[in-house]
Structure formats: C-alpha cells, structure tokens
Amino acid sequence: MPRNNNNNRKDYAGLMPRRGWVKRNIHFFRHRVFAQVFKKRLGSVTEPILDPPPVGTTRITWIGHASFLLQFAEHSVLVDPNWAGWHGIVKRQREPGMDINLVPLVDLVLVSHAHFDHLHKKSLKIVDSHEGIVVPKGSATLVKKLGFSDIHEMALWDSIQFGDLNVTHTPSHHWGARYIHDTHRDYGGYIIKSDDLTIFHCGDSAYFEGFKEIGEKHDIDIALMPIGAYEAPSGRDVHMNPEEAITAFQELNAGIMIPMHYRTFPLGNEPYHEPEERLIAEAERLGLQDRVLVLEEGVAMELSPRLNGNGAD
C-alpha cells in the first residue's frame, strides 16, 4: 500500500531552505551551538507530585522544551517526553524539571511528530503508560520496539477515547519527516480532555489560519504554545515568534496560555532570553498578562477550567 505524502497539504512547511541559509547557519553554529558547549546547565530537577489533583482541576508540570506531565483527577498524560542532554552537537541548556526515573506510570504518552527533539527514543524507552502511545499517522514504525503495550496511530481530526479521557489530533503548520526522505509522516498537536477540562498542546507550528478552526471545534481551557526557534537557520516558516503565538492563543479563544519550546535547546538564532521577554511585553501590551502563565521547569501548577475572558471560576 503506497504511503501518503504530505507535500500537498497547505500547512506543509516544505524542506527547502531560503536564500541566505549559509550565513544564518554560520551564525547559528558560532553563536548558538559552540558558545554554549562548555556552559553549565541551568535549572534543577524536582520530584513529581504523585497524588492526583482535586476533581475539577488539572496539574501541569513543564519538564522542558515541549515536554509536559498533565495530571487530572482520574487520568495522567505525558506529552513529547524528552530528557536528552544533547541532540547531536546541540547541548541542552536547562536541566529537565523532573527525574525521568521518578515519572509516575501514566495513562497515555502522546508524541506530536517524528522530529528528534519531540520523538526522543531513549526517553520513550524509559517512560511507561497503561494505554500505550499515540503518534501521528506514519510514525508507528518508529516506536514499535520501544516497549509500549499499544501503539495508536492517528490521522488529523481523529479522536480516541479511554474512559473519560479523550484525545484529538489537530493540524499545525510544520512538517513530520524524521529524515529528508520520509515526508509521509504526519504532524500536529493534540486536544486532551478529561474531567471537564480541555488542554491544547500545539506541537511545533508556524502561525497559520488553522488555529481559528481548532478554537471553533473545541472549548479550550489551557493552550500550551511554542514561542521559540523562530529565527530558524534555514529561514523556513516553521515556528511562531511570541507575538504570533499570542495571536494564535487569541484565535483559539483559550483561557490560559503556557509557553513552551524555548530556552531548553538552542534551535534558532534568536538570543536566549528574547522569546520570554517578547512574550511578556506583547501580553502586557494587549492586556493579557493575567492569562499568560510562564512556568519554571519542574514546578507543578494546578489550574481550574475556563480561566479566561468568557468567565472565570
């Protein structure tokens, strides 16, 4: 059976770099990669809270990069688990916020796409879940030998149910190839619903009009949005800057925004502190500072639903 290729999708970012990529890559390796090789990692490792949160709340722990532990009263989910110290010559800049050996058995592991910084095989071999792992269509072969009891491969807008835990695979503007040739692999984010709470994990994405559709289809309490790596050495339109992430958050009509995909691995040419500074400045400019929550790695935060402009608890 032939594999579907994602090249014709309107939200496919493509693989070709833009003019000037050589100069941008020289700057990247000189100022982002080599400059941090000998620097000590920042941050600290904490122990997870094992007891479930109260009914009607969710406990969110940012592990770093795009990795989160999401705990509900009856369920728990691990998204894009990545405890890597290095990706090739790119060094992790901050310690994972949680000891991987202390991560509790969760109900489900979700992987947004096949890129090495999101589908990290060594981390996936260590974590475990009752119901197995969810991956986008075309990526099941990458995780079949990692020890999961079940592999659930999802196409865009597919939903899967485990008790009252519901997961829906949503689109993004990105690409899913793990290597140059395997462009058939899908990519996107997830809507995660449990206990009357809805969390959106964006995965990797540039800004695109699809956020409006996701917001129309789902009543989102908390949106986990990427804000870094927007100055891609390739020059391709593959990640959002902080202002675009705020715009997407507004179009999702979500209650709270939590930023991710910044300060962990230097994957773009923007300065280390810039994503967070620009995010806070834009939130203050728009009067959204009370709805943008910047987490520290390993610090668990308990939140209630609909903490937004449509009515708070």
Side-chain angles (χ1 to χ4, degrees), residues 17-54:
R18 293 182 179 177
R19 181 176 297 179
W21 67 272
V22 173
K23 183 178 181 180
R24 288 191 298 270
N25 272 276
I26 291 173
H27 184 278
F28 175 68
F29 284 105
R30 178 180 296 172
H31 298 285
R32 297 290 174 261
V33 175
F34 298 141
Q36 45 77 50
V37 167
F38 300 105
K39 290 183 179 179
K40 183 179 179 180
R41 289 194 183 99
L42 303 174
S44 59
V45 179
T46 62
E47 294 187 11
I49 301 174
L50 301 181
D51 293 334

Side-chain angles (χ1 to χ4, degrees), residues 12 32 140 150 163 167-168 181 189 243 256 258-259 263 265 313:
Y12 177 65
R32 297 290 174 261
D150 292 289
V167 175
T168 301
H181 65 281
E243 293 81 10
I256 291 289
I258 295 176
R263 83 181 182 187
F265 295 104
D313 274 8

Side-chain angles (χ1 to χ4, degrees), residues 105-170:
L105 178 67
V106 297
D107 289 286
L108 203 61
V109 174
L110 308 179
V111 173
S112 62
H113 60 297
H115 292 170
F116 286 84
D117 58 322
H118 293 259
L119 195 161
H120 184 245
K121 289 188 176 182
K122 289 184 178 180
S123 297
L124 290 172
K125 283 183 178 180
I126 297 174
V127 300
D128 198 5
S129 64
H130 291 290
E131 304 291 350
I133 186 170
V134 171
V135 295
K137 189 175 181 180
S139 293
T141 56
L142 296 173
V143 298
K144 68 179 181 179
K145 296 182 180 180
L146 300 183
F148 290 97
S149 58
D150 292 289
I151 299 172
H152 310 277
E153 199 175 56
M154 299 180 73
L156 288 181
W157 297 117
D158 279 355
S159 291
I160 192 167
Q161 192 84 27
F162 303 95
D164 92 320
L165 175 65
N166 181 274
V167 175
T168 301
H169 182 39
T170 55

Side-chain angles (χ1 to χ4, degrees), residues 6 26 40 66 91 94 114 132 134 143 152 163 166 175 179 186 205 232 251 257 260 300 309:
N6 285 309
I26 291 173
K40 183 179 179 180
K91 180 182 177 181
R94 296 182 64 87
V134 171
V143 298
H152 310 277
N166 181 274
W175 87 109
Y179 304 98
D186 198 2
S205 184
E251 293 177 352
M257 172 182 167
M260 65 172 180

